[in-house]
């Protein structure tokens, strides 16, 4: 009987490009502008990316485009989300027994806190430099650049 061994390195390969986007645009507006500049049709995905943290659950919006003919997938993912927590503290003051909502920012990739959105591209036939050039031509955008995926510690959050 033959013995087959699997090595963990075989599963750790990254087969996608990741582009960081800095902008003050809302997610749907950014998706609209990306659809205009690139040959894609991003649409809102009902399955948001869920991240469980000690304060509760955070949900990150996601816009997707799957091209089955070319076997490529494009995902626009929100990086920042604010989680509202209720704080029930009893204090001896004017506002006794009041409910306070405290917000906490949660990041999909915590090591890249300044990034607003990520564009995850799988099997694109367009070179990454050309994609970044087209994204940077959007006037309401601050900047876009390629991210070295080997340096990201929380890359498991990008598996969906």
């Amino acid at each position: 009987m033959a013995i087959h061994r699997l090595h963990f390195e075989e599963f750790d390969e990254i087969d996608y490009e990741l582009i960081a986007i800095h902008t003050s645009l809302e997610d749907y507006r950014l998706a609209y502008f990306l659809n205009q500049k690139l040959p894609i049709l991003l649409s809102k995905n009902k399955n948001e990316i869920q991240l469980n943290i000690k304060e509760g659950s955070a949900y990150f919006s996601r816009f997707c485009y799957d091209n089955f003919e070319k076997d490529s997938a494009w995902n626009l993912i929100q990086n920042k989300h604010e989680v509202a927590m209720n704080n029930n503290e009893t204090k001896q003051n004017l506002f006794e027994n009041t409910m306070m909502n405290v917000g906490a920012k949660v990041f999909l990739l915590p090591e890249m806190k300044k990034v607003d959105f990520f564009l995850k591209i799988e099997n694109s036939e367009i070179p990454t430099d050309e994609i970044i050039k087209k994204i940077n031509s959007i006037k309401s955008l601050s900047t876009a650049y390629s991210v070295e995926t080997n340096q990201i510690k929380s890359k498991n959050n990008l598996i969906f």
Side-chain angles (χ1 to χ4, degrees):
M1 178 182 338
I3 297 174
H4 297 283
R5 293 185 182 170
L6 297 175
H7 299 281
F8 287 115
E9 295 85 35
E10 294 174 9
F11 298 107
D12 198 26
E13 292 181 20
I14 297 173
D15 57 345
Y16 58 85
E17 295 292 325
L18 194 64
I19 297 174
I21 300 173
H22 295 261
T23 183
S24 60
L25 289 172
E26 294 290 328
D27 53 0
Y28 62 92
R29 298 269 300 154
L30 179 59
Y32 172 76
F33 288 129
L34 289 174
N35 286 342
Q36 285 185 329
K37 296 289 181 179
L38 298 168
I40 58 176
L41 291 171
L42 291 169
S43 61
K44 179 86 170 164
N45 192 326
K46 293 179 184 175
N47 298 328
E48 294 181 331
I49 299 170
Q50 181 181 358
L51 190 63
N52 295 321
I53 55 171
K54 62 182 177 183
E55 291 88 5
S57 294
Y59 296 92
F60 298 92
S61 68
R62 177 177 161 203
F63 287 76
C64 300
Y65 170 67
D66 292 320
N67 188 341
F68 297 109
E69 294 172 359
K70 298 178 181 177
D71 194 33
S72 65
W74 298 63
N75 288 285
L76 177 65
I77 311 149
Q78 181 183 26
N79 187 40
K80 299 176 183 177
H81 182 76
E82 190 147 340
V83 177
M85 301 176 296
N86 292 328
N87 191 359
N88 262 346
E89 291 185 8
T90 306
K91 295 183 178 179
Q92 296 293 332
N93 63 12
L94 181 63
F95 304 104
E96 191 173 312
N97 296 330
T98 58
M99 293 275 286
M100 290 177 43
N101 286 336
V102 179
K105 277 199 174 181
V106 181
F107 300 94
L108 185 66
L109 298 180
E111 56 270 14
M112 304 193 80
K113 292 183 179 181
K114 296 192 185 244
V115 176
D116 298 307
F117 294 94
F118 290 105
L119 186 62
K120 180 182 172 187
I121 307 166
E122 298 175 33
N123 300 327
S124 174
E125 58 202 26
I126 306 170
T128 308
D129 314 359
E130 190 176 321
I131 295 170
I132 292 172
K133 191 177 191 181
K134 289 181 180 182
I135 292 172
N136 279 325
S137 70
I138 299 172
K139 292 184 181 179
S140 304
L141 215 84
S142 297
T143 188
Y145 53 89
S146 182
V147 175
E148 187 63 41
T149 51
N150 295 330
Q151 296 177 354
I152 298 173
K153 294 178 185 174
S154 54
K155 58 186 156 199
N156 289 341
N157 293 347
L158 293 172
I159 299 173
F160 42 84

